Amino acid sequence: MQFVDEVVIRVKAGDGGNGCVSFRREKYIEFGGPNGGDGGDGGDVYLVAERNLNTLIDFRHQRYYEAQRGENGAGNNMTGKRGDDQEISVPVGTVAYDAETGEMIGDLIEPGQRLLVAKGGWHGLGNLRYKSSVNRAPRQSKPGTVGELRVLRMELKLLADVGLLGLPNAGKSTLISAVSSARPKVADYPFTTLYPNLGVVSVGVTQSFVMADIPGLIEGAAEGAGLGIQFLRHLSRTSLLLHVVDVAPMAEENEPVRAVRTIEGELEQYSEELSNYPRWLVLNKIDLLPPEERIARCQEIVDALGWTGRVFQISAATSAGTQDLCFHIMQYLDEHADHSN
């Protein structure tokens, strides 16, 4: 399935039904009078978070949604039926914006959550409403109001506990494959990951967390190079970032220290908030280094970076060190959850 994480659609709430002008005319009733009923309210438009959806691709095929119009009022003081609401299913994690003003309308983060995005028109008034002591036979009524029309821009931000950062071919997809049941494409050429992947990582019998692998960044991503930074929004809900680095790159431009600096620069350009997220350094592919050189090489990278945060040495390909990494991630998430409650 193609992954789509941003779309623009139009939604139209139902118009209110018109009020009715009507009078009682019954054979054995001496005095008649107004009996025109009110119209019905127009239906509203809601976004509804659906657990089983994970992309916005359906909106590429349908871009206009409209709720039902309220029925007009009728004689004998009969009120028109309210229009049916239009419910639009979206993935959990969808954020809705007014495309014309840029205002955020709401954020759907819980399954079943409903968000009103367009309000239906109000019902019109029948002539019975205008009867008074000085106006016994009013011939006026009020039409229903027009339902709200809105252009929505919707973004999908994946819900994950941990996000993976790194240059193409750093081993992010291999890592998520090694620790979860996710099976992203893995190959020995850049940009094998073209859209984000989620994997559930189990730690022990009862504990687990969700890991997100996004397409690799390259220098200039903030200006649109490579796949750009369009997928970085998916990291904004995470609690922890893992910066995966290839300790034994074939190409000189992917030298570990430069790789880290490149990603740091792109994060700062994209979002100061995201650049300040908790981030651990994960030195990957240690299996490609001779055993006697591994410790010294990894320490050399840490020293050159002046890195003061957590550091892990792993081989995603052989799973060496991945279990210990996952254990510490779970421990961190538990502690973080305790502090936030």
Side-chain angles (χ1 to χ4, degrees):
M1 177 184 289
Q2 182 182 358
F3 186 87
V4 177
D5 67 344
E6 184 173 357
V7 294
V8 176
I9 64 172
R10 293 171 67 238
V11 295
K12 170 70 167 64
D15 297 339
N18 298 326
C20 174
V21 174
S22 175
F23 294 90
R24 292 171 55 188
R25 292 182 176 88
E26 299 177 46
K27 185 174 181 180
Y28 298 106
I29 297 180
E30 182 178 359
F31 299 103
N35 69 348
D38 297 342
D41 291 333
D44 303 325
V45 180
Y46 289 90
L47 301 182
V48 182
E50 174 62 53
R51 184 191 301 274
N52 296 325
L53 295 178
N54 57 12
T55 175
L56 297 171
I57 191 171
D58 290 343
F59 298 100
R60 290 290 175 94
H61 309 297
Q62 182 176 352
R63 293 182 177 269
Y64 181 72
Y65 296 83
E66 184 173 359
Q68 189 178 39
R69 183 185 188 279
E71 292 184 357
N72 294 332
N76 202 24
N77 197 24
M78 294 178 64
T79 301
K81 180 184 176 183
R82 186 186 188 280
D84 292 336
D85 293 336
Q86 172 69 264
E87 294 191 345
I88 306 171
S89 296
V90 297
V92 175
T94 299
V95 185
Y97 299 88
D98 187 310
E100 297 175 344
T101 65
E103 174 193 4
M104 188 180 83
I105 302 171
D107 190 357
L108 296 112
I109 59 174
E110 297 289 340
Q113 184 178 348
R114 286 160 51 93
L115 175 66
L116 177 65
V117 292
K119 181 66 179 174
W122 290 102
H123 58 269
L125 302 179
N127 67 335
L128 178 61
R129 297 274 193 170
Y130 294 93
K131 179 182 177 181
S132 68
S133 60
V134 296
N135 188 5
R136 302 278 181 116
R139 295 185 176 276
Q140 64 190 109
S141 64
K142 186 175 182 180
T145 61
V146 176
E148 193 174 10
L149 173 65
R150 237 174 177 174
V151 180
L152 301 181
R153 179 173 62 85
M154 297 192 296
E155 290 183 357
L156 175 59
K157 297 181 179 181
L158 297 178
L159 301 176
D161 301 300
V162 179
L164 302 181
L165 276 174
L167 293 180
N169 271 13
K172 302 185 302 299
S173 296
T174 305
L175 175 57
I176 199 172
S177 297
V179 299
S180 76
S181 58
R183 291 296 175 263
K185 185 176 181 180
V186 177
D188 59 356
Y189 54 85
F191 300 115
T192 52
T193 300
L194 300 177
Y195 53 85
N197 292 291
L198 290 180
V200 178
V201 181
S202 296
V203 181
V205 179
T206 60
Q207 292 183 303
S208 64
F209 60 86
V210 178
M211 180 179 286
D213 169 28
I214 69 166
L217 298 178
I218 62 173
E219 190 170 5
E223 284 76 46
L227 294 177
I229 56 176
Q230 59 177 315
F231 294 115
L232 280 178
R233 69 169 66 96
H234 297 296
L235 300 180
S236 63
R237 298 188 191 273
T238 60
S239 300
L240 176 66
L241 299 179
L242 301 183
H243 193 146
V244 183
V245 182
D246 183 352
V247 297
M250 299 294 291
E252 189 173 312
E253 61 267 20
N254 288 338
E255 191 272 328
V257 175
R258 179 178 177 182
V260 174
R261 298 299 186 209
T262 296
I263 299 299
E264 287 178 337
E266 299 304 325
L267 282 179
E268 289 172 1
Q269 289 191 60
Y270 176 76
S271 164
E272 181 178 353
E273 181 183 3
L274 190 59
S275 69
N276 291 324
Y277 265 44
R279 185 157 45 101
W280 293 357
L281 186 63
V282 179
L283 302 176
N284 189 27
K285 303 186 182 182
I286 59 172
D287 56 305
L288 300 181
L289 296 174
E292 63 275 9
E293 296 181 14
R294 291 176 187 172
I295 295 179
R297 174 59 174 159
C298 291
Q299 190 60 49
E300 178 184 324
I301 295 170
V302 172
D303 292 343
L305 289 170
W307 190 274
T308 57
R310 302 288 295 272
V311 181
F312 293 85
Q313 302 175 22
I314 70 164
S315 168
T318 66
S319 296
T322 59
Q323 186 174 359
D324 182 60
L325 172 63
C326 292
F327 173 80
H328 283 89
I329 292 172
M330 192 74 256
Q331 188 177 51
Y332 172 85
L333 293 176
D334 286 343
E335 294 173 355
H336 183 75
D338 291 341
H339 291 157
S340 62
N341 290 337

